[in-house]
Structures are given as C-alpha cells and as structure tokens.
Amino acid sequence: MTAALPSPPAESLARWRHDRLGLSLHFGLYSVAARGEWVRSAEQLTDADYQTYFDRFAPDPGWAVAWARLAKASGARYAVLTTKHHDGFCLFDSALTDFKSTNTPARRDLVREWVEAVRAEGLAVGLYYSLVDWHHPDCPATGDRQHPLRRHPDSPARDARADWSRYVAYLHGQLIELCTNYGRIDSLVVDFSYWHYVGEKWGATEIQQKLRRLQPHLLLNDRWGNEARKRIPRPSYAGDYEQTEQNIPREGLRDDAGQPMPWEGWFTLTNSWCYSATDTAWKSSATLVRALVNCVSKDGNLLLNVSPDARGRVPAEARRVLLELGEWLALNGDSIFGAGPAPYAKPEWGRFTARPGVLYAHVTEPVVGNISLPGLRGRVKNARLLAHNSAVHLADFWNPGVQTFDAPDDIFFNFATPTAGTYPLADERDTVVAFELNDDEATALERIRLDNALSRQIALRQPF
Ligand code: GLC
C-alpha cells in the first residue's frame, strides 16, 4: 500500500486549465543533426558518431530571450523545454554528468537562460525530462528495440557492467537538480514509459514525493506509466493531467470511473518535433486556431511544439504563423483563456466554447442564410462580434409560425441584415460571436463548471 502523494494546490491546476495554450521546444544536439530527435536511435549512431554534434553545439547568445518573446506574442501562457531528451544530452549544468551544454562550445547553462527568459515574459515554466537515456552506461542497450547500441558488438560487455539502481539514482538526482536550482517550476513533463519501463521501475512514487516537497505547486504529466491517470484505482504516480499526442480526442477525456480528467493535446507545428531543414509542412494559423478551439471546447489545453534550429533561431515561417495566432488571440482570447465547454452539442457551422454567462460561437464554415443556434430560444440576451465588439443580429425563422420545422426552440443569428442573407465571415479562420445569456442559462453554465471543478478536486484528493 503506497501513501497518497500530496496533491498540488487546486490553484495550480486551475491556472494551467485557465491558460489553455502552451508552446514547447525540442532543442539539443539533434538540432545540429537536423533529421529528427530520434536520429541516434534510427541510425544506430555510436557515442563517437554523436560527438560531432556535441563539438558543434553553440546556440547564439540571446536565443532564449527571442524564443520567449515569440512565445508570448503567439498568445501562449506557458512554455516547456527539453532539458534532456532520450539521447541523454543535458541542457543544464548537472553535477552528475559531463554530457551537458556547459561542456560544448556553448559553455552555458541553457536551461537557466531559457527559464529566466520565459519567466521575464510572465509565462509559466515547464521542464521536459526524458526518463529514457541512450547515453547512460547503466541503461541496458541489448534487447531494447530503440537503444542506438542495440546491435553494437561491445554492448553485451557494456550491459554486464550496468546497474539499474545507479541509473535510477542518477535520474532522481537530475530531477532534484532541476527542481532545486531554477526557482519555481510550474510543470514537469516526463517522457516516456514503455515495455517494462513503467512506474516504479523509475522509482516514480519516491521521486514525485521528493519533487512535490521541493516544488509544492508542481504539476506532473501522466507519462510515468501508460494510461496511469485513467485507471481506477489510480496508481500513486499517476500525475495530474493527461497528454494526447498528435491527436485531439473525440470528446473530453474521462477516467475509467467516468470522471473528467484535465488534458492537453500536444502537436508539432510541422511534422517534426525538432528542427528539420526539409520539413516545411507548416500548419496554418487557421489550422492552429481551430485545433485550439477544438481542445477548449472539450475542456482541454493545446501544447504546440515549435523548435529552433541549432543556433536557437525559430524559422521565419514558424514565426509568421505564430504571430498570426497571437493576433487572433489578442482579439478573441476571451473565448479561449478561462473558457471551457458549453452544454450544447457541436453546431453544424463550427464549435461552442463558454464561460459563466457567455456562450461563444466559433463559426468556421460559411453558412447559407440564417445561422442557427439550436435550442437557445429565450436564452440569449444579446450578440456581438467578439473581435470588434460590434453588434450581431439575432433572428427568428424566415417565416415564423409557418416554417418552424421540427425545431421550435431554435433561434438564429447573422452578421448583417436582412438576417436571411448570406455574408462573408469577418475572419475565415474562425469568426467568434459572443452571446450574453439570460440569468437562468448563466446559472446553469456556472453549475456545470462547478460540477466539473468539484469532481476534479475530489479526484485529486482521492486516496490511492
Ligand atoms: C514523440 C517523439 C518524442 C517526443 C514526444 C513529445 O513521442 O517520439 O521524441 O519528444 O513525442 O511528446
């Protein structure tokens, strides 16, 4: 029987859920290789092969400040940096290894630079740390389908000397360094559990307890074990929120007891996690806006990964798309930050988000004639275009009393009069209309939010 872990204060989770949009970056020696952060594994590179990138790693001074400013301008409220990826290379001045940025031509603690820059922009600080390590001699290589040295002739002898408990001590030691030397850390994102490398194999409960003592506000993701948060009863190392990867779920996530779980969809801006000179499949700002709205409409966050090149510079196209996203959020952020799902089914022309007293219609598809608000008759006080605070027209059936079909509770809205006309969307990516609701409806929305918040708090305090 393991003791229940201390929960982070409810405000940490409330702030994270309020913030809705985060930016992450994958940055390390693989940024020099520029062909995927798994390059060491995919090409079975030896330590000597990989040393070429170590010897050339020298991000420009000021890279972190530029990145943090761009993150802020994109509208993101939190940011996550890879302090160590699977290759084992550390972007921080760890006392436990020489395989770190202070020993490369960079000669700097890049985690410190980045944390300070991100904090200066008022963003919450998240650190990614890979549980997997392809550099550490105590992590076995043979028999592991992804270790770069899995077929190397020296590996059996290397593995005969490996001692897993030494690796766990190293892993714990580095997490303690990260949670001791860099001030307040808002979230720790670990990656990843597989095969029998899950949960207590990482000494998960013990280290989480230590980290929570060092950082009482710290939020933990779910990757200490597979599907850990979903299972009832929850394992003690389950973490605080769920992450989906390159996928937005059909509905908001729930655990096996049907309770809603805080969650975040994690996406790449191209199709790569780290810098690639050839991957130019940039998502457009329309795609990003709609993905963010999709997540929020299901009570989730979006974590968008934007990786700099080996000098630490964000490619021009990424910058352009992120600034467009930021412009949209500057005008429409009320429908995203602190907003959540609405108690109505997804409408035909887009999606709903809501906050107590206000319903937001995200119109993403042009509609012919009146735009319907299913089931909202008698509930709406007024309507406005959120981006411009200008009036939007509420309307009834074209021919009321005759032409109500089978939906007498529906009303309609449109951007101009006559309301049965067809008008272009002010923003083709997503035109947001805010509806002020009458009191009864506002109270109902408030109740739904309270129910959600309450069930989450109960879930968090539940003994394991
Ligand atoms: C995938 C990638 C890994 C990356 C992670 C981010 O699992 O393989 O490299 O860090 O996604 O969630």
PDB file of all heavy atoms in Angstrom, residues 22-43:
ATOM      1  N   GLY A  22       0.004  26.407 -24.572  1.00  0.00           N
ATOM      2  CA  GLY A  22       1.427  26.388 -24.231  1.00  0.00           C
ATOM      3  C   GLY A  22       2.252  26.158 -25.485  1.00  0.00           C
ATOM      4  O   GLY A  22       1.750  25.663 -26.505  1.00  0.00           O
ATOM      5  N   LEU A  23       3.524  26.554 -25.420  1.00  0.00           N
ATOM      6  CA  LEU A  23       4.451  26.280 -26.520  1.00  0.00           C
ATOM      7  C   LEU A  23       5.581  25.420 -25.964  1.00  0.00           C
ATOM      8  O   LEU A  23       6.069  25.691 -24.859  1.00  0.00           O
ATOM      9  CB  LEU A  23       5.036  27.598 -27.025  1.00  0.00           C
ATOM     10  CG  LEU A  23       4.717  28.018 -28.462  1.00  0.00           C
ATOM     11  CD1 LEU A  23       3.226  28.002 -28.712  1.00  0.00           C
ATOM     12  CD2 LEU A  23       5.273  29.388 -28.761  1.00  0.00           C
ATOM     13  N   SER A  24       5.991  24.391 -26.710  1.00  0.00           N
ATOM     14  CA  SER A  24       7.136  23.588 -26.262  1.00  0.00           C
ATOM     15  C   SER A  24       8.233  23.681 -27.309  1.00  0.00           C
ATOM     16  O   SER A  24       7.984  24.079 -28.452  1.00  0.00           O
ATOM     17  CB  SER A  24       6.727  22.121 -26.074  1.00  0.00           C
ATOM     18  OG  SER A  24       6.483  21.505 -27.309  1.00  0.00           O
ATOM     19  N   LEU A  25       9.451  23.334 -26.901  1.00  0.00           N
ATOM     20  CA  LEU A  25      10.519  23.244 -27.894  1.00  0.00           C
ATOM     21  C   LEU A  25      11.394  22.038 -27.602  1.00  0.00           C
ATOM     22  O   LEU A  25      11.641  21.711 -26.440  1.00  0.00           O
ATOM     23  CB  LEU A  25      11.354  24.524 -27.965  1.00  0.00           C
ATOM     24  CG  LEU A  25      12.309  24.919 -26.873  1.00  0.00           C
ATOM     25  CD1 LEU A  25      13.190  26.054 -27.364  1.00  0.00           C
ATOM     26  CD2 LEU A  25      11.549  25.405 -25.668  1.00  0.00           C
ATOM     27  N   HIS A  26      11.801  21.392 -28.668  1.00  0.00           N
ATOM     28  CA  HIS A  26      12.785  20.325 -28.608  1.00  0.00           C
ATOM     29  C   HIS A  26      14.098  20.943 -29.085  1.00  0.00           C
ATOM     30  O   HIS A  26      14.180  21.434 -30.212  1.00  0.00           O
ATOM     31  CB  HIS A  26      12.392  19.160 -29.524  1.00  0.00           C
ATOM     32  CG  HIS A  26      11.365  18.247 -28.901  1.00  0.00           C
ATOM     33  ND1 HIS A  26      10.138  18.685 -28.489  1.00  0.00           N
ATOM     34  CD2 HIS A  26      11.413  16.908 -28.614  1.00  0.00           C
ATOM     35  CE1 HIS A  26       9.459  17.659 -27.972  1.00  0.00           C
ATOM     36  NE2 HIS A  26      10.208  16.570 -28.038  1.00  0.00           N
ATOM     37  N   PHE A  27      15.102  20.924 -28.212  1.00  0.00           N
ATOM     38  CA  PHE A  27      16.357  21.596 -28.528  1.00  0.00           C
ATOM     39  C   PHE A  27      17.485  20.766 -27.930  1.00  0.00           C
ATOM     40  O   PHE A  27      17.425  20.374 -26.759  1.00  0.00           O
ATOM     41  CB  PHE A  27      16.324  23.000 -27.903  1.00  0.00           C
ATOM     42  CG  PHE A  27      17.406  23.928 -28.395  1.00  0.00           C
ATOM     43  CD1 PHE A  27      17.838  23.897 -29.714  1.00  0.00           C
ATOM     44  CD2 PHE A  27      17.975  24.857 -27.528  1.00  0.00           C
ATOM     45  CE1 PHE A  27      18.822  24.769 -30.167  1.00  0.00           C
ATOM     46  CE2 PHE A  27      18.950  25.734 -27.970  1.00  0.00           C
ATOM     47  CZ  PHE A  27      19.379  25.686 -29.293  1.00  0.00           C
ATOM     48  N   GLY A  28      18.495  20.483 -28.738  1.00  0.00           N
ATOM     49  CA  GLY A  28      19.604  19.668 -28.233  1.00  0.00           C
ATOM     50  C   GLY A  28      20.566  19.355 -29.365  1.00  0.00           C
ATOM     51  O   GLY A  28      20.529  19.987 -30.430  1.00  0.00           O
ATOM     52  N   LEU A  29      21.407  18.338 -29.167  1.00  0.00           N
ATOM     53  CA  LEU A  29      22.412  18.004 -30.189  1.00  0.00           C
ATOM     54  C   LEU A  29      21.748  17.580 -31.490  1.00  0.00           C
ATOM     55  O   LEU A  29      22.276  17.812 -32.584  1.00  0.00           O
ATOM     56  CB  LEU A  29      23.315  16.879 -29.680  1.00  0.00           C
ATOM     57  CG  LEU A  29      24.075  17.162 -28.376  1.00  0.00           C
ATOM     58  CD1 LEU A  29      25.045  16.030 -28.073  1.00  0.00           C
ATOM     59  CD2 LEU A  29      24.790  18.496 -28.409  1.00  0.00           C
ATOM     60  N   TYR A  30      20.551  16.971 -31.382  1.00  0.00           N
ATOM     61  CA  TYR A  30      19.817  16.549 -32.583  1.00  0.00           C
ATOM     62  C   TYR A  30      19.383  17.755 -33.433  1.00  0.00           C
ATOM     63  O   TYR A  30      19.065  17.605 -34.601  1.00  0.00           O
ATOM     64  CB  TYR A  30      18.603  15.689 -32.207  1.00  0.00           C
ATOM     65  CG  TYR A  30      17.800  16.240 -31.045  1.00  0.00           C
ATOM     66  CD1 TYR A  30      16.965  17.334 -31.202  1.00  0.00           C
ATOM     67  CD2 TYR A  30      17.928  15.674 -29.776  1.00  0.00           C
ATOM     68  CE1 TYR A  30      16.260  17.858 -30.122  1.00  0.00           C
ATOM     69  CE2 TYR A  30      17.224  16.189 -28.690  1.00  0.00           C
ATOM     70  CZ  TYR A  30      16.394  17.288 -28.871  1.00  0.00           C
ATOM     71  OH  TYR A  30      15.697  17.812 -27.814  1.00  0.00           O
ATOM     72  N   SER A  31      19.389  18.955 -32.850  1.00  0.00           N
ATOM     73  CA  SER A  31      19.068  20.146 -33.653  1.00  0.00           C
ATOM     74  C   SER A  31      20.184  20.399 -34.661  1.00  0.00           C
ATOM     75  O   SER A  31      19.952  20.953 -35.744  1.00  0.00           O
ATOM     76  CB  SER A  31      18.900  21.384 -32.760  1.00  0.00           C
ATOM     77  OG  SER A  31      18.028  21.106 -31.688  1.00  0.00           O
ATOM     78  N   VAL A  32      21.425  20.002 -34.318  1.00  0.00           N
ATOM     79  CA  VAL A  32      22.547  20.132 -35.264  1.00  0.00           C
ATOM     80  C   VAL A  32      22.379  19.076 -36.364  1.00  0.00           C
ATOM     81  O   VAL A  32      22.519  19.373 -37.556  1.00  0.00           O
ATOM     82  CB  VAL A  32      23.916  19.947 -34.558  1.00  0.00           C
ATOM     83  CG1 VAL A  32      25.052  20.211 -35.536  1.00  0.00           C
ATOM     84  CG2 VAL A  32      24.041  20.833 -33.317  1.00  0.00           C
ATOM     85  N   ALA A  33      22.036  17.854 -35.961  1.00  0.00           N
ATOM     86  CA  ALA A  33      21.841  16.776 -36.949  1.00  0.00           C
ATOM     87  C   ALA A  33      20.684  17.114 -37.888  1.00  0.00           C
ATOM     88  O   ALA A  33      20.717  16.803 -39.080  1.00  0.00           O
ATOM     89  CB  ALA A  33      21.576  15.456 -36.241  1.00  0.00           C
ATOM     90  N   ALA A  34      19.648  17.767 -37.352  1.00  0.00           N
ATOM     91  CA  ALA A  34      18.515  18.282 -38.140  1.00  0.00           C
ATOM     92  C   ALA A  34      17.768  17.198 -38.922  1.00  0.00           C
ATOM     93  O   ALA A  34      17.233  17.457 -39.995  1.00  0.00           O
ATOM     94  CB  ALA A  34      18.967  19.409 -39.073  1.00  0.00           C
ATOM     95  N   ARG A  35      17.720  15.981 -38.374  1.00  0.00           N
ATOM     96  CA  ARG A  35      16.912  14.939 -39.028  1.00  0.00           C
ATOM     97  C   ARG A  35      16.190  14.076 -37.998  1.00  0.00           C
ATOM     98  O   ARG A  35      16.105  12.864 -38.134  1.00  0.00           O
ATOM     99  CB  ARG A  35      17.752  14.124 -40.018  1.00  0.00           C
ATOM    100  CG  ARG A  35      19.045  13.569 -39.470  1.00  0.00           C
ATOM    101  CD  ARG A  35      19.881  12.975 -40.607  1.00  0.00           C
ATOM    102  NE  ARG A  35      20.947  12.139 -40.103  1.00  0.00           N
ATOM    103  CZ  ARG A  35      22.131  12.587 -39.692  1.00  0.00           C
ATOM    104  NH1 ARG A  35      22.405  13.869 -39.709  1.00  0.00           N
ATOM    105  NH2 ARG A  35      23.056  11.745 -39.261  1.00  0.00           N
ATOM    106  N   GLY A  36      15.669  14.742 -36.991  1.00  0.00           N
ATOM    107  CA  GLY A  36      14.831  14.048 -36.016  1.00  0.00           C
ATOM    108  C   GLY A  36      15.557  13.811 -34.705  1.00  0.00           C
ATOM    109  O   GLY A  36      16.747  13.474 -34.693  1.00  0.00           O
ATOM    110  N   GLU A  37      14.826  13.963 -33.585  1.00  0.00           N
ATOM    111  CA  GLU A  37      15.440  13.804 -32.261  1.00  0.00           C
ATOM    112  C   GLU A  37      15.704  12.328 -31.951  1.00  0.00           C
ATOM    113  O   GLU A  37      16.378  12.014 -30.980  1.00  0.00           O
ATOM    114  CB  GLU A  37      14.583  14.485 -31.189  1.00  0.00           C
ATOM    115  CG  GLU A  37      13.289  13.784 -30.828  1.00  0.00           C
ATOM    116  CD  GLU A  37      12.202  13.936 -31.886  1.00  0.00           C
ATOM    117  OE1 GLU A  37      12.423  14.614 -32.906  1.00  0.00           O
ATOM    118  OE2 GLU A  37      11.122  13.344 -31.702  1.00  0.00           O
ATOM    119  N   TRP A  38      15.195  11.456 -32.814  1.00  0.00           N
ATOM    120  CA  TRP A  38      15.468  10.024 -32.665  1.00  0.00           C
ATOM    121  C   TRP A  38      16.639   9.585 -33.552  1.00  0.00           C
ATOM    122  O   TRP A  38      16.871   8.394 -33.735  1.00  0.00           O
ATOM    123  CB  TRP A  38      14.220   9.214 -33.015  1.00  0.00           C
ATOM    124  CG  TRP A  38      13.236   9.123 -31.887  1.00  0.00           C
ATOM    125  CD1 TRP A  38      12.517  10.153 -31.348  1.00  0.00           C
ATOM    126  CD2 TRP A  38      12.874   7.957 -31.143  1.00  0.00           C
ATOM    127  NE1 TRP A  38      11.728   9.704 -30.321  1.00  0.00           N
ATOM    128  CE2 TRP A  38      11.913   8.349 -30.176  1.00  0.00           C
ATOM    129  CE3 TRP A  38      13.249   6.612 -31.190  1.00  0.00           C
ATOM    130  CZ2 TRP A  38      11.340   7.452 -29.264  1.00  0.00           C
ATOM    131  CZ3 TRP A  38      12.670   5.726 -30.290  1.00  0.00           C
ATOM    132  CH2 TRP A  38      11.731   6.139 -29.336  1.00  0.00           C
ATOM    133  N   VAL A  39      17.381  10.539 -34.126  1.00  0.00           N
ATOM    134  CA  VAL A  39      18.418  10.195 -35.103  1.00  0.00           C
ATOM    135  C   VAL A  39      19.425   9.190 -34.539  1.00  0.00           C
ATOM    136  O   VAL A  39      19.856   8.273 -35.239  1.00  0.00           O
ATOM    137  CB  VAL A  39      19.119  11.473 -35.644  1.00  0.00           C
ATOM    138  CG1 VAL A  39      19.782  12.280 -34.554  1.00  0.00           C
ATOM    139  CG2 VAL A  39      20.103  11.138 -36.736  1.00  0.00           C
ATOM    140  N   ARG A  40      19.760   9.344 -33.259  1.00  0.00           N
ATOM    141  CA  ARG A  40      20.759   8.411 -32.679  1.00  0.00           C
ATOM    142  C   ARG A  40      20.255   6.986 -32.713  1.00  0.00           C
ATOM    143  O   ARG A  40      20.992   6.056 -33.011  1.00  0.00           O
ATOM    144  CB  ARG A  40      21.054   8.787 -31.216  1.00  0.00           C
ATOM    145  CG  ARG A  40      22.492   9.195 -31.017  1.00  0.00           C
ATOM    146  CD  ARG A  40      23.034   8.865 -29.638  1.00  0.00           C
ATOM    147  NE  ARG A  40      23.875   7.675 -29.686  1.00  0.00           N
ATOM    148  CZ  ARG A  40      24.648   7.257 -28.707  1.00  0.00           C
ATOM    149  NH1 ARG A  40      24.683   7.933 -27.568  1.00  0.00           N
ATOM    150  NH2 ARG A  40      25.383   6.167 -28.821  1.00  0.00           N
ATOM    151  N   SER A  41      18.962   6.837 -32.410  1.00  0.00           N
ATOM    152  CA  SER A  41      18.371   5.502 -32.416  1.00  0.00           C
ATOM    153  C   SER A  41      18.173   5.007 -33.848  1.00  0.00           C
ATOM    154  O   SER A  41      18.571   3.893 -34.205  1.00  0.00           O
ATOM    155  CB  SER A  41      17.031   5.539 -31.684  1.00  0.00           C
ATOM    156  OG  SER A  41      16.309   4.362 -31.920  1.00  0.00           O
ATOM    157  N   ALA A  42      17.586   5.855 -34.690  1.00  0.00           N
ATOM    158  CA  ALA A  42      17.229   5.439 -36.055  1.00  0.00           C
ATOM    159  C   ALA A  42      18.467   5.006 -36.844  1.00  0.00           C
ATOM    160  O   ALA A  42      18.431   4.024 -37.572  1.00  0.00           O
ATOM    161  CB  ALA A  42      16.518   6.576 -36.761  1.00  0.00           C
ATOM    162  N   GLU A  43      19.569   5.752 -36.677  1.00  0.00           N
ATOM    163  CA  GLU A  43      20.775   5.453 -37.464  1.00  0.00           C
ATOM    164  C   GLU A  43      21.802   4.661 -36.663  1.00  0.00           C
ATOM    165  O   GLU A  43      22.923   4.458 -37.126  1.00  0.00           O
ATOM    166  CB  GLU A  43      21.372   6.774 -37.981  1.00  0.00           C
ATOM    167  CG  GLU A  43      20.398   7.505 -38.906  1.00  0.00           C
ATOM    168  CD  GLU A  43      20.920   8.847 -39.409  1.00  0.00           C
ATOM    169  OE1 GLU A  43      22.138   9.106 -39.292  1.00  0.00           O
ATOM    170  OE2 GLU A  43      20.096   9.634 -39.907  1.00  0.00           O
TER     171      GLU A  43
END
